[in-house]
Amino acid sequence: MNNDTNCDVGFTSDNIYETKCPLIYALEIIGKKWKLPIMWYLFENEFTRYNELKRKVKGITSMMLTKALKELEEHNLIVRIQYEAIPPKVEYALTERGKALLPALNELSKWGGEQLKLDRLKSSCE
Amino acid sequence: MNNDTNCDVGFTSDNIYETKCPLIYALEIIGKKWKLPIMWYLFENEFTRYNELKRKVKGITSMMLTKALKELEEHNLIVRIQYEAIPPKVEYALTERGKALLPALNELSKWGGEQLKLDRLKSSCE
DNA sequence: CTGGATCCGTCATGATACTG
DNA sequence: CAGTATCATGACGGATCCAG
């Protein structure tokens, strides 16, 4: 499993671009809170406006939404489309890079679903 | 993408077993720091002792190692094998459940590798 | 409508020292 | 050898208010 890529799993480097394990790197990008819920919604609804995201991603605040969107944009997983209008109108959409995550997320989701059942089973026996 | 499984992405529930998205659930289990490095090492070295893990997973402390191992064991991703001997001997190994993560991690790692290249490229142009 | 700024509590992480 | 216990801290997340 990618053991040939010098995978420094010790988090000792401050430079995210040095000696990074691609797996850890992926998790750092998408693993933070709200990232996946946002992307998930964009998977199903291309071109979504800021406030719609805020309404649909339950519980998120403006601050966290803004921050998450900015980070996703910096990694080129989403694009920000700003219309010069009053009142302001901004839409967000996934890039091809963002969509490329789908297969990996599906695999992980499949595993998570099985795990969820097993853990439920275990907890009900205790 | 699993939209049929009631996927409450709002993190509003305190009960981890209620209305959970399997994808988020998976990330909660394996996304924490040190989890993957430990599992990664166990992928490549079945039956590893506590202190060997501590040496090989660079930078980890006893406390974090113990905690991570305990959580992984609670989710049945690893097993703890204790030998009744002086001095103590304990080995850890992946379960089938733990090994079942491999395909998903490979997909994610593949994506992360591509992303890493793109991000490097981008940063070198700035 | 689309954010930005600020304050603040909590929790994960880490350093250090200790134990059977 | 395989952990525990205690304390410190700093990032993260949430609430609230402000702005163009």
Side-chain angles (χ1 to χ4, degrees), chain B residues 7-87:
Chain B
C7 187
D8 182 358
V9 291
F11 295 87
T12 52
S13 171
D14 288 333
N15 187 341
I16 200 173
Y17 297 117
E18 298 290 332
T19 64
K20 264 297 175 187
C21 166
L23 181 51
I24 304 290
Y25 186 64
L27 283 185
E28 284 178 352
I29 296 174
I30 64 160
K32 306 287 182 176
K33 209 170 176 177
W34 305 118
K35 289 282 184 66
L36 283 181
I38 292 170
M39 293 193 68
W40 203 300
Y41 191 80
L42 291 178
F43 272 129
E44 298 164 350
N45 305 272
E46 289 219 53
F47 303 103
T48 305
R49 299 182 65 169
Y50 182 90
N51 269 332
E52 183 180 350
L53 278 174
K54 193 169 149 191
R55 280 192 306 272
K56 294 302 174 56
V57 179
K58 276 188 287 183
I60 199 170
T61 63
S62 291
M63 233 191 56
M64 297 317 296
L65 178 56
T66 300
K67 189 183 169 195
L69 289 171
K70 193 174 299 178
E71 289 174 13
L72 287 172
E73 196 193 357
E74 283 170 358
H75 287 291
N76 297 302
L77 302 188
I78 65 173
V79 282
R80 198 186 102 113
I81 305 148
Q82 180 169 358
Y83 299 87
E84 292 302 337
I86 306 289

Side-chain angles (χ1 to χ4, degrees), chain A residues 52-83:
Chain A
E52 183 179 349
L53 278 173
K54 194 170 150 191
R55 280 192 307 271
K56 293 304 174 54
V57 179
K58 276 187 287 182
I60 198 171
T61 63
S62 290
M63 228 190 59
M64 299 317 295
L65 178 56
T66 301
K67 189 182 169 195
L69 289 171
K70 192 175 299 177
E71 289 175 13
L72 288 172
E73 195 194 358
E74 283 169 359
H75 287 292
N76 296 303
L77 301 188
I78 64 174
V79 283
R80 199 186 102 112
I81 306 149
Q82 180 169 358
Y83 298 88

Side-chain angles (χ1 to χ4, degrees), chain A residues 3-93:
Chain A
N3 193 31
D4 48 350
T5 67
N6 172 23
C7 188
D8 181 356
V9 290
F11 296 86
T12 51
S13 171
D14 288 334
N15 187 341
I16 199 173
Y17 297 116
E18 299 289 334
T19 65
K20 263 296 173 186
C21 166
L23 182 51
I24 304 290
Y25 186 64
L27 283 185
E28 284 178 352
I29 296 175
I30 63 159
K32 304 289 181 175
K33 207 168 177 179
W34 304 117
K35 289 284 184 66
L36 283 181
I38 292 169
M39 295 194 66
W40 203 301
Y41 191 79
L42 291 177
F43 271 129
E44 299 165 349
N45 306 271
E46 289 217 55
F47 303 104
T48 304
R49 298 183 65 171
Y50 182 89
N51 267 335
E52 183 179 349
L53 278 173
K54 194 170 150 191
R55 280 192 307 271
K56 293 304 174 54
V57 179
K58 276 187 287 182
I60 198 171
T61 63
S62 290
M63 228 190 59
M64 299 317 295
L65 178 56
T66 301
K67 189 182 169 195
L69 289 171
K70 192 175 299 177
E71 289 175 13
L72 288 172
E73 195 194 358
E74 283 169 359
H75 287 292
N76 296 303
L77 301 188
I78 64 174
V79 283
R80 199 186 102 112
I81 306 149
Q82 180 169 358
Y83 298 88
E84 292 302 337
I86 306 290
K89 177 179 177 183
V90 178
E91 287 182 341
Y92 293 91

